[in-house]
Amino acid sequence: MTAKTWAYEDFVEGALFDLGSKQVSAAEIIEFASEFDAQPMHLNEDAGKASILGGLSASGWHTSAMFMRMLCDAFLLDSTCQGSPGVDQVKWKKPVLAGDTLTGSLVVLTKRLSRSKPQLGFVTMRSELLNQRGESVFELENSVMFLTRDAAGSAA
């Protein structure tokens, strides 16, 4: 097994991470909604236009899932991540419409070692997705648990 690149020690308060970009298609909005959030504005362009959202729009849960994929691809899959104890805050600020391009970033707010498990650290992050117009469409704040480099090395 190869050691993961990102361990607790690698996160610095104030550090900014680029999560890349993702274009959102009508087909994926409909596919996600068909299975998980089958409200009309997520399934049909005309219903979306008739709603306050202004067009076929991704479910907030779909937006969250797209964010998670971007986070995984940016660094999480190459880290000592042990999961998250939960989400402190999530905001779906504007509709994510078919054809939008989302760009993600996150900033490290705080970090601390666990008192009961010193091989484990908590990194609190604030993440954001912007659309192609620079409008904030999604915000999330949560803590993520990472093993220390020594603990990760001994697990390999």
Side-chain angles (χ1 to χ4, degrees):
M1 181 176 165
T2 305
K4 297 293 187 170
T5 302
W6 291 95
Y8 171 77
E9 294 87 346
D10 298 315
F11 295 94
V12 177
E13 290 181 11
L16 187 64
F17 288 79
D18 177 5
L19 303 181
S21 296
K22 186 212 182 324
Q23 186 160 21
V24 183
S25 72
E28 71 181 297
I29 289 173
I30 293 167
E31 181 181 359
F32 184 95
S34 294
E35 184 159 356
F36 300 110
D37 191 351
Q39 296 181 72
M41 68 285 241
H42 305 317
L43 293 169
N44 179 281
E45 179 70 32
D46 290 335
K49 285 181 180 176
S51 77
I52 64 169
L53 302 177
L56 181 66
S57 68
S59 161
W61 299 113
H62 184 194
T63 302
S64 298
M66 289 185 283
F67 159 76
M68 191 67 207
R69 178 82 252 181
M70 293 168 76
L71 179 64
C72 285
D73 291 346
F75 70 86
L76 204 62
L77 294 178
D78 189 26
S79 77
T80 63
C81 179
Q82 300 297 297
S84 173
V87 171
D88 298 315
Q89 174 180 300
V90 64
K91 291 183 181 179
W92 300 310
K93 299 175 72 178
K94 287 191 174 285
V96 172
L97 301 173
D100 278 356
T101 299
L102 304 179
T103 302
S105 65
L106 72 77
V107 63
V108 175
L109 300 177
T110 63
K111 62 184 266 189
R112 69 172 178 83
L113 286 172
S114 169
R115 288 185 284 284
S116 61
K117 296 178 181 169
Q119 74 278 14
L120 189 68
F122 294 87
V123 179
T124 302
M125 306 171 175
R126 180 180 302 125
S127 304
E128 183 175 38
L129 295 177
L130 304 177
N131 64 20
Q132 68 278 4
R133 292 177 296 282
E135 300 167 327
S136 180
V137 299
F138 170 87
E139 289 180 0
L140 180 130
E141 192 169 311
N142 71 312
S143 293
V144 180
M145 299 177 291
F146 293 92
L147 291 175
T148 62
R149 190 157 307 287
D150 286 345
S154 65

Tab-separated table of all heavy atoms in Angstrom, residues 6-12 80 111 113 118-119 123 146-151:
chain	number	residue	atom	x	y	z
A	6	TRP	N	-1.850	13.525	1.452
A	6	TRP	CA	-2.346	14.538	2.384
A	6	TRP	C	-2.653	13.921	3.741
A	6	TRP	O	-3.553	13.103	3.870
A	6	TRP	CB	-3.603	15.199	1.829
A	6	TRP	CG	-3.306	16.046	0.638
A	6	TRP	CD1	-3.392	15.669	-0.668
A	6	TRP	CD2	-2.842	17.380	0.646
A	6	TRP	NE1	-3.009	16.709	-1.481
A	6	TRP	CE2	-2.669	17.776	-0.696
A	6	TRP	CE3	-2.561	18.291	1.662
A	6	TRP	CZ2	-2.221	19.043	-1.046
A	6	TRP	CZ3	-2.109	19.557	1.308
A	6	TRP	CH2	-1.947	19.911	-0.030
A	7	ALA	N	-1.907	14.349	4.761
A	7	ALA	CA	-2.143	13.927	6.139
A	7	ALA	C	-2.463	15.177	6.965
A	7	ALA	O	-2.321	16.310	6.488
A	7	ALA	CB	-0.910	13.210	6.697
A	8	TYR	N	-2.869	14.968	8.191
A	8	TYR	CA	-3.270	16.072	9.070
A	8	TYR	C	-2.257	17.215	9.067
A	8	TYR	O	-2.629	18.384	8.967
A	8	TYR	CB	-3.480	15.533	10.496
A	8	TYR	CG	-3.683	16.632	11.504
A	8	TYR	CD1	-4.907	17.283	11.605
A	8	TYR	CD2	-2.647	17.030	12.341
A	8	TYR	CE1	-5.094	18.307	12.518
A	8	TYR	CE2	-2.822	18.045	13.257
A	8	TYR	CZ	-4.046	18.690	13.340
A	8	TYR	OH	-4.224	19.705	14.246
A	9	GLU	N	-0.977	16.895	9.140
A	9	GLU	CA	0.067	17.918	9.239
A	9	GLU	C	0.127	18.824	8.012
A	9	GLU	O	0.640	19.944	8.086
A	9	GLU	CB	1.454	17.266	9.419
A	9	GLU	CG	1.622	16.525	10.706
A	9	GLU	CD	1.152	15.067	10.650
A	9	GLU	OE1	0.449	14.668	9.693
A	9	GLU	OE2	1.491	14.326	11.579
A	10	ASP	N	-0.363	18.358	6.885
A	10	ASP	CA	-0.266	19.115	5.638
A	10	ASP	C	-1.282	20.246	5.522
A	10	ASP	O	-1.156	21.088	4.631
A	10	ASP	CB	-0.428	18.170	4.443
A	10	ASP	CG	0.667	17.121	4.410
A	10	ASP	OD1	1.841	17.485	4.607
A	10	ASP	OD2	0.339	15.934	4.223
A	11	PHE	N	-2.256	20.271	6.390
A	11	PHE	CA	-3.281	21.313	6.340
A	11	PHE	C	-2.877	22.472	7.243
A	11	PHE	O	-2.559	22.282	8.411
A	11	PHE	CB	-4.649	20.746	6.741
A	11	PHE	CG	-5.135	19.724	5.756
A	11	PHE	CD1	-4.887	18.372	5.954
A	11	PHE	CD2	-5.804	20.123	4.611
A	11	PHE	CE1	-5.312	17.427	5.035
A	11	PHE	CE2	-6.226	19.186	3.678
A	11	PHE	CZ	-5.980	17.838	3.895
A	12	VAL	N	-2.883	23.669	6.658
A	12	VAL	CA	-2.464	24.886	7.356
A	12	VAL	C	-3.651	25.835	7.399
A	12	VAL	O	-4.327	26.040	6.373
A	12	VAL	CB	-1.279	25.549	6.607
A	12	VAL	CG1	-0.878	26.852	7.264
A	12	VAL	CG2	-0.110	24.587	6.499
A	80	THR	N	-5.344	10.892	4.008
A	80	THR	CA	-5.562	9.970	5.121
A	80	THR	C	-6.950	10.174	5.734
A	80	THR	O	-7.170	9.821	6.894
A	80	THR	CB	-4.478	10.169	6.199
A	80	THR	OG1	-4.597	11.505	6.733
A	80	THR	CG2	-3.086	9.945	5.628
A	111	LYS	N	-7.679	23.748	12.787
A	111	LYS	CA	-7.304	22.335	12.907
A	111	LYS	C	-6.908	22.072	14.346
A	111	LYS	O	-6.446	22.967	15.062
A	111	LYS	CB	-6.186	21.972	11.936
A	111	LYS	CG	-4.893	22.711	12.147
A	111	LYS	CD	-3.868	22.374	11.092
A	111	LYS	CE	-2.959	21.274	11.547
A	111	LYS	NZ	-1.815	21.025	10.677
A	113	LEU	N	-5.753	18.447	17.027
A	113	LEU	CA	-5.630	17.006	17.260
A	113	LEU	C	-6.711	16.560	18.226
A	113	LEU	O	-7.107	17.304	19.128
A	113	LEU	CB	-4.257	16.667	17.833
A	113	LEU	CG	-3.100	16.725	16.840
A	113	LEU	CD1	-1.774	16.569	17.570
A	113	LEU	CD2	-3.253	15.652	15.772
A	118	PRO	N	-4.838	10.905	19.675
A	118	PRO	CA	-3.879	11.891	19.153
A	118	PRO	C	-3.329	11.573	17.769
A	118	PRO	O	-2.678	12.419	17.165
A	118	PRO	CB	-2.768	11.907	20.209
A	118	PRO	CG	-2.950	10.671	21.007
A	118	PRO	CD	-4.386	10.261	20.898
A	119	GLN	N	-3.606	10.402	17.240
A	119	GLN	CA	-3.198	10.078	15.874
A	119	GLN	C	-4.203	10.591	14.844
A	119	GLN	O	-4.016	10.430	13.650
A	119	GLN	CB	-2.995	8.560	15.712
A	119	GLN	CG	-4.267	7.752	15.653
A	119	GLN	CD	-4.916	7.419	17.004
A	119	GLN	OE1	-4.588	7.987	18.040
A	119	GLN	NE2	-5.859	6.503	16.988
A	123	VAL	N	-9.875	18.851	10.842
A	123	VAL	CA	-9.608	20.022	10.015
A	123	VAL	C	-10.966	20.607	9.630
A	123	VAL	O	-11.770	19.940	8.980
A	123	VAL	CB	-8.794	19.656	8.762
A	123	VAL	CG1	-8.551	20.894	7.907
A	123	VAL	CG2	-7.468	18.998	9.146
A	146	PHE	N	-8.542	13.487	9.694
A	146	PHE	CA	-7.385	12.967	8.962
A	146	PHE	C	-6.423	12.324	9.947
A	146	PHE	O	-6.214	12.851	11.051
A	146	PHE	CB	-6.632	14.091	8.234
A	146	PHE	CG	-7.406	14.724	7.130
A	146	PHE	CD1	-8.182	15.844	7.362
A	146	PHE	CD2	-7.359	14.197	5.842
A	146	PHE	CE1	-8.905	16.440	6.339
A	146	PHE	CE2	-8.083	14.790	4.812
A	146	PHE	CZ	-8.855	15.909	5.057
A	147	LEU	N	-5.821	11.207	9.549
A	147	LEU	CA	-4.758	10.609	10.345
A	147	LEU	C	-3.508	11.471	10.251
A	147	LEU	O	-3.280	12.144	9.237
A	147	LEU	CB	-4.416	9.208	9.833
A	147	LEU	CG	-5.451	8.119	10.034
A	147	LEU	CD1	-4.993	6.833	9.358
A	147	LEU	CD2	-5.725	7.894	11.518
A	148	THR	N	-2.706	11.444	11.307
A	148	THR	CA	-1.399	12.075	11.233
A	148	THR	C	-0.507	11.243	10.308
A	148	THR	O	-0.801	10.076	10.026
A	148	THR	CB	-0.753	12.188	12.616
A	148	THR	OG1	-0.563	10.857	13.127
A	148	THR	CG2	-1.600	13.008	13.576
A	149	ARG	N	0.565	11.830	9.854
A	149	ARG	CA	1.462	11.125	8.947
A	149	ARG	C	2.046	9.872	9.616
A	149	ARG	O	2.136	8.832	8.991
A	149	ARG	CB	2.581	12.066	8.482
A	149	ARG	CG	3.378	11.450	7.360
A	149	ARG	CD	4.107	12.434	6.494
A	149	ARG	NE	3.344	13.510	5.918
A	149	ARG	CZ	2.461	13.398	4.915
A	149	ARG	NH1	2.219	12.222	4.390
A	149	ARG	NH2	1.846	14.437	4.446
A	150	ASP	N	2.425	9.975	10.891
A	150	ASP	CA	2.969	8.796	11.597
A	150	ASP	C	1.943	7.676	11.688
A	150	ASP	O	2.258	6.520	11.445
A	150	ASP	CB	3.445	9.179	13.002
A	150	ASP	CG	4.746	9.960	12.981
A	150	ASP	OD1	5.441	9.968	11.943
A	150	ASP	OD2	5.062	10.576	14.013
A	151	ALA	N	0.701	8.030	12.015
A	151	ALA	CA	-0.351	7.019	12.128
A	151	ALA	C	-0.639	6.395	10.762
A	151	ALA	O	-0.848	5.192	10.664
A	151	ALA	CB	-1.619	7.634	12.705
